[in-house]
């Protein structure tokens, strides 16, 4: 009984007040749930642009949970909640390649301005901020695994896709600048592809899309030739990694990859989903320019090196792609 077990408070002498921006999103809502299980007080702030109340429905009656529907760009509300918290997990962002290509202005403004105001207000009160960045910042690199110190290889600004990576990279620079100049404690995490219950295919994410197509008998749409690879981590593993960094003073001022190094091509993934669901769907390839925009460039490979977080906190993912597909 998942909904009941989160109401069983465990004593936690390190209980904190935690603000999650983007707390009604896919990852934010799983993070909130786990923090509540560990007896922290959680406030989820979300403008419901890509998040949804249905993601946090099961938390609404929890005595340690509160939610605020509003944008982080509403600075007075944001400042009030930052004042009251000990830690900010900053997850609010424009996400999903499809959304980014279709709405690049919104992507850049939300990601850059949003992080800027979070850091500004956190800095006034010296609150620890965990900035969630993305594996997308590694760009077109093909030498894997990606280590945190690798150079970033972004494409030309004519390709709107790279606006996301670039805006997130700027967030990283800004966070580390606040640490250097104002000693604001920040931790930057780069999340690799994350999957799990409540993730919607609406923003183009591959696993929910493939599973839905397979279950409804529609063609499974592989974009490009399917040779591009990704590595998928389960959201419960990702949340454990995020919380593990909280108690680590040595994580402050640094960058950590969080993901599962098990690499798979998108074509193999399509075949695996078809097999696992016993689906009769055909697997079809669709050129990128029909899905996104002319000249669209994909990331050819994406695999995290997780040595750094493992050495510091002992974290490594426990769920395999197979487990993940079973859960989805
Ligand atoms: N993809 C696909 N079919 C889909 C959705 C996505 O082939 O229906 C591909 C996409 O082009 C990319 C990979 O799957 O190469 C992962 O896409 P997603 O949007 O989930 O995340 P990304 O890693 O691109 O941020």
């Amino acid at each position: 009984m998942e909904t009941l077990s989160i109401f069983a408070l465990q004593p936690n002498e390190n209980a904190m007040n935690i603000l999650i921006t983007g707390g009604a999103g896919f990852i934010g809502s799983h993070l909130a749930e786990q923090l509540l299980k560990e007896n922290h007080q959680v406030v989820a702030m979300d403008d419901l642009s890509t998040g949804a109340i249905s993601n946090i429905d099961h938390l609404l009656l929890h005595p340690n949970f509160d939610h605020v529907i509003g944008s982080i760009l509403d600075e007075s509300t944001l400042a009030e909640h930052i004042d009251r918290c000990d830690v900010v997990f900053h997850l609010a962002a424009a996400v999903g390649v499809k959304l980014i290509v279709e709405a690049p202005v919104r992507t850049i403004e939300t990601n850059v301005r949003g992080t800027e105001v979070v850091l500004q207000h956190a800095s006034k009160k010296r609150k620890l901020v965990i900035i969630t960045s993305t594996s997308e910042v590694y760009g077109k690199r093909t030498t894997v695994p990606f280590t945190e110190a690798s150079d970033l290889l972004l494409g030309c600004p004519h390709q709107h896709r790279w606006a996301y990576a670039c805006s997130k990279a700027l967030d990283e620079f800004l966070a580390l600048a606040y640490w250097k100049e104002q000693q604001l404690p920040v931790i930057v995490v780069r999340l690799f592809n994350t999957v799990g219950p409540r993730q919607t295919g609406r923003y183009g994410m591959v696993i929910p899309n493939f599973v839905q197509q397979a279950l409804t008998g529609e063609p499974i749409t592989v974009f490009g030739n399917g040779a591009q690879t990704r590595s998928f981590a389960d959201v419960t593993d990702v949340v454990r990694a995020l919380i593990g960094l909280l108690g680590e003073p040595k994580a402050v001022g640094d960058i950590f990859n969080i993901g599962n190094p098990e690499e798979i091509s998108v074509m193999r993934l399509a075949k695996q989903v078809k097999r696992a669901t016993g689906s009769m769907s055909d697997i079809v390839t669709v050129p990128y320019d029909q899905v996104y925009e002319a000249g669209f460039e994909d990331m050819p490979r994406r695999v995290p090196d997780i040595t750094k977080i493992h050495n510091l906190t002992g974290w490594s993912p426990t769920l395999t792609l197979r487990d993940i597909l079973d859960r989805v």
Side-chain angles (χ1 to χ4, degrees):
M1 291 290 289
E2 190 62 7
T3 43
L4 283 183
S5 63
I6 62 160
F7 287 83
L9 300 184
Q10 300 298 317
N12 179 354
E13 58 193 26
N14 301 316
M16 286 181 282
N17 293 316
I18 297 179
L19 173 65
I20 307 176
T21 71
F26 158 57
I27 300 176
S29 64
H30 282 276
L31 177 63
E33 189 173 318
Q34 185 56 35
L35 289 167
L36 291 169
K37 280 185 190 161
E38 297 181 20
N39 205 17
H40 297 289
Q41 301 271 345
V42 176
V43 176
M45 188 166 181
D46 205 299
D47 67 359
L48 305 184
S49 52
T50 53
I53 284 290
S54 56
N55 285 338
I56 52 170
D57 253 349
H58 60 303
L59 308 177
L60 294 178
L61 294 178
H62 195 293
N64 289 352
F65 183 74
D66 204 355
H67 74 288
V68 184
I69 296 173
S71 164
I72 47 172
L73 299 179
D74 170 1
E75 287 193 48
S76 57
T77 310
L78 176 75
E80 185 189 316
H81 288 285
I82 287 182
D83 276 2
R84 290 201 207 128
C85 77
D86 304 304
V87 176
V88 185
F89 275 99
H90 177 42
L91 275 73
V95 289
V97 179
K98 220 172 163 52
L99 175 70
I100 282 143
V101 169
E102 282 162 12
V105 172
R106 174 167 149 206
T107 301
I108 298 167
E109 288 184 353
T110 308
N111 294 359
V112 175
R113 181 84 192 118
T115 301
E116 194 180 348
V117 293
V118 166
L119 289 168
Q120 253 168 22
H121 288 285
S123 152
K124 287 185 193 149
K125 301 290 164 88
R126 284 280 191 115
K127 303 293 171 75
L128 172 64
V129 186
I130 291 94
I131 295 285
T132 50
S133 181
T134 166
S135 56
E136 181 88 12
V137 297
Y138 292 106
K140 297 192 273 183
R141 290 183 65 87
T142 49
T143 35
V144 293
F146 302 147
T147 59
E148 291 85 346
S150 306
D151 289 338
L152 312 181
L153 187 64
L154 303 187
C156 163
H158 281 303
Q159 296 301 320
H160 293 298
R161 170 211 190 116
W162 301 115
Y164 178 60
C166 203
S167 64
K168 285 294 198 169
L170 188 59
D171 289 352
E172 295 190 13
F173 277 116
L174 191 61
L176 297 179
Y178 266 95
W179 165 236
K180 181 176 179 193
E181 249 182 72
Q182 302 186 14
Q183 294 75 52
L184 174 70
V186 296
I187 302 171
V188 174
V189 294
R190 291 181 180 156
L191 303 186
F192 284 65
N193 296 64
T194 303
V195 196
R198 301 203 287 272
Q199 185 176 37
T200 151
R202 209 177 329 145
Y203 307 105
M205 274 74 173
V206 67
I207 289 189
N209 262 8
F210 281 2
V211 170
Q212 194 181 349
Q213 289 166 338
L215 292 177
T216 55
E218 290 165 38
I220 299 176
T221 53
V222 170
F223 301 160
N225 63 9
Q228 71 273 31
T229 71
R230 293 294 185 270
S231 319
F232 298 92
D234 189 273
V235 68
T236 53
D237 278 330
V238 170
V239 160
R240 206 163 39 78
L242 289 172
I243 297 175
L245 286 168
L246 265 191
E248 268 305 333
K250 286 196 189 129
V252 171
D254 214 340
I255 303 175
F256 297 89
N257 285 337
I258 297 180
N260 187 333
E262 189 185 342
E263 183 183 23
I264 185 169
S265 75
V266 169
M267 182 56 84
R268 264 197 55 211
L269 177 69
K271 290 180 182 160
Q272 199 161 323
V273 168
K274 180 173 155 116
R275 216 177 19 251
T277 51
S279 170
M280 302 299 283
S281 293
D282 293 328
I283 296 175
V284 298
T285 56
V286 186
Y288 286 122
D289 54 8
Q290 281 179 25
V291 191
Y292 300 115
E293 61 181 345
F296 178 85
E297 293 175 325
D298 203 355
M299 285 183 69
R301 296 182 75 181
R302 204 186 271 182
V303 185
D305 182 328
I306 53 170
T307 312
K308 200 165 158 186
I309 187 169
H310 179 75
N311 286 348
L312 187 65
T313 70
W315 177 83
S316 48
T318 55
L319 296 171
T320 63
L321 181 59
R322 197 155 184 152
D323 302 325
I324 294 171
L325 291 180
D326 285 349
R327 268 161 57 86
V328 174

